[in-house]
Amino acid sequence: MHPSELDSLLQKFLEDTISEAELDALRRHFADEGAASQQEAAIEAVLWKARFTDVLPGSKEEAFAQVMQAARERESTPQTIVRPLRRWWPAAAAVAILLGAGIWMTAQRSQRQQGAVADIRSGDAIRPGREGAILTLADGTEVVLDSMQNGVVTTQGATTLMLQNGRLSYDEKHDAGRSADAINTIATPPGRQFQVVLPDGTKIWLNAASTLRYPVAFTGGERKVKVEGEAYLEVAADAARPFVVDVAGGTEVQVLGTSFNINAYKDEKVQRTTLLQGRVRVKAAGGERILDPGQEAVADGQLSVNNNANLAQAVAWKNGVFHFENASLETVMRQLSRWYDVEVVYEKQVPVLTFGGEMGRNLELKDVLEFLEGSGVHFRIEGRKLIVSP
């Protein structure tokens, strides 16, 4: 099935507008062993998106269990028309149809035979994150990039979107002003990271659980994007059009041509802007500061500057490494939670520990925990719940 056709069917599938003939075609496609990873990506995208509607259980495992129950109920009540099964989660109806047909089980069995991925309901082998993201187009259409092959994703106005090995790029034509008002959003669920090349050539890497909002074409006197979570940017130089990053939480970063990292997760106590090359102006509630390479702006209601920033630590995630230096246990657990898509629970009070060292982000979770247990803290895994005890 051509990627564009698959994407169209998936969109109808999630919106509950798919016809019986189209649903049969989607079932046949997902029944193919080679499509198992595409189905996993599509279902994970629905689960992740719904987690932020405040109407689902707190963990993906629990949500998945409820969808499985919905599937079993659907199997016991034959229906010929696709309709939502639960008011608490309309999209679950579409997922339940495939689950009820046994296709998810077929796909998972095929993947276990190939040793490709671990069952998402099992804590025995929680694998590291990978390339992947959800793209929301200007018209609201969502594209699960995990499930797409290399090639043209779509065209918006005079701008063509190309996917190549985990990187989405925008080819802006000379008359791209026709798409100037079009806004796209890239979101990485927990356990995913992604790279985007904007129409002006600016490269942006997104860490797990992050969001980037940007125009399809840059027009006017500035280039402005919005970031939530963590992103590393290599901004294309253009003295006539300053580049502005609107950071969730009230910080604004203005640049001309530079490389820097922004860490602005909602569950972190401070926002950090770390400059590697060039110059940036950081504006926050506490004032305004200009950074030189090697400096880091810290915003926590006030704005301060660290003149000796640890650059290697700031961009370690982009280079495929966990870099801990005097990191508290809670700091480490937040990073693991985002990258391995697990819920961290402290069985008693949080142990007061600090960690140092590096390790690859390509390790299974159990291997990372074995390293951490050398400091006297203990862990156990129940499904996708990581329980920490003294």
Side-chain angles (χ1 to χ4, degrees):
M1 183 178 294
H2 191 275
S4 60
E5 180 183 1
L6 173 61
D7 180 60
S8 175
L9 291 180
L10 283 174
Q11 184 67 22
K12 293 180 180 180
F13 183 49
L14 300 181
E15 292 176 348
D16 195 23
T17 59
I18 193 168
S19 68
E20 290 188 53
E22 290 170 329
L23 180 60
D24 286 340
L26 194 59
R27 282 172 167 160
R28 288 195 299 272
H29 175 72
F30 280 148
D32 184 343
E33 290 187 357
S37 62
Q38 294 179 345
Q39 188 197 34
E40 179 199 8
I43 292 180
E44 281 193 358
V46 178
L47 291 172
W48 173 77
K49 180 184 176 185
R51 286 174 69 175
F52 295 92
T53 63
D54 296 327
V55 296
L56 275 183
S59 70
K60 185 168 69 176
E61 181 184 32
E62 187 179 352
F64 185 87
Q66 292 199 22
V67 176
M68 287 293 292
Q69 178 61 33
R72 287 190 288 270
E73 292 176 6
R74 187 179 182 87
E75 282 184 302
S76 63
T77 307
Q79 300 179 20
T80 58
I81 301 176
V82 180
R83 288 290 183 267
L85 298 178
R86 304 276 191 186
R87 292 185 62 187
W88 51 266
W89 187 14
V95 177
I97 295 169
L98 289 190
L99 290 170
I103 295 174
W104 171 261
M105 294 304 178
T106 301
Q108 288 296 101
R109 183 168 57 251
S110 170
Q111 290 189 341
R112 283 196 297 270
Q113 291 171 348
Q114 299 172 21
V117 297
D119 190 320
I120 67 171
R121 292 160 294 163
S122 170
D124 294 336
I126 297 181
R127 299 186 182 277
R130 54 186 171 87
E131 302 290 341
I134 301 170
L135 168 66
T136 303
L137 302 176
D139 63 359
T141 299
E142 292 187 344
V143 182
V144 181
L145 297 175
D146 305 38
S147 65
M148 296 200 69
Q149 300 175 355
N150 290 338
V152 175
V153 175
T154 188
T155 299
Q156 295 180 101
T159 303
T160 301
L161 284 63
M162 295 287 297
L163 182 65
Q164 183 68 35
N165 300 328
R167 182 179 69 181
L168 183 69
S169 60
Y170 285 68
D171 183 12
E172 180 182 283
K173 305 301 182 183
H174 68 280
D175 57 348
R178 289 182 297 169
S179 54
D181 295 332
I183 300 295
N184 283 185
T185 301
I186 286 278
T188 52
R192 299 290 188 272
Q193 64 181 25
F194 208 72
Q195 181 184 358
V196 183
V197 181
L198 299 181
D200 66 336
T202 292
K203 298 177 182 178
I204 302 180
W205 287 256
L206 285 180
N207 202 352
S210 301
T211 302
L212 171 68
R213 181 178 170 85
Y214 53 95
V216 172
F218 289 116
T219 60
E222 68 177 12
R223 299 165 289 164
K224 192 168 188 176
V225 303
K226 183 174 182 178
V227 168
E228 296 183 26
E230 186 164 25
Y232 174 80
L233 299 88
E234 292 182 354
V235 177
D238 186 345
R241 296 187 300 172
F243 195 96
V244 179
V245 182
D246 182 5
V247 184
T251 301
E252 182 178 274
V253 181
Q254 298 178 349
V255 303
L256 290 177
T258 190
S259 300
F260 60 102
N261 192 80
I262 293 175
N263 185 307
Y265 286 111
K266 292 181 179 179
D267 59 356
E268 298 290 347
K269 296 179 181 179
V270 302
Q271 292 185 357
R272 300 180 185 274
T273 301
T274 310
L275 182 62
L276 281 75
Q277 296 179 6
R279 299 188 82 195
V280 299
R281 176 184 289 107
V282 179
K283 296 181 178 180
E288 177 179 326
R289 299 292 294 270
I290 294 179
L291 300 185
D292 292 319
Q295 293 184 321
E296 179 178 75
V298 180
D300 58 354
Q302 299 294 322
L303 184 62
S304 60
V305 173
N306 175 8
N307 293 318
N308 298 294
N310 189 327
L311 303 184
Q313 184 177 34
V315 300
W317 67 270
K318 171 187 170 287
N319 297 326
V321 176
F322 289 115
H323 184 119
F324 304 129
E325 183 172 316
N326 295 322
S328 68
L329 176 62
E330 290 177 290
T331 298
V332 172
M333 290 299 102
R334 286 195 294 269
Q335 291 190 39
L336 298 186
S337 174
R338 289 189 285 259
W339 185 234
Y340 291 95
D341 191 13
V342 292
E343 177 189 4
V344 176
V345 176
Y346 295 95
E347 197 165 51
K348 298 180 180 179
Q349 68 181 55
V350 181
V352 181
L353 297 170
T354 57
F355 298 88
E358 292 187 354
M359 67 183 74
R361 278 166 47 112
N362 60 345
L363 298 173
E364 290 187 5
L365 178 58
K366 63 180 180 63
D367 296 324
V368 177
L369 298 180
E370 287 177 5
F371 167 79
L372 298 178
E373 284 185 331
S375 296
V377 66
H378 303 286
F379 306 93
R380 72 176 186 273
I381 299 174
E382 296 179 0
R384 299 203 75 88
K385 183 178 292 184
L386 173 58
I387 302 171
V388 184
S389 60

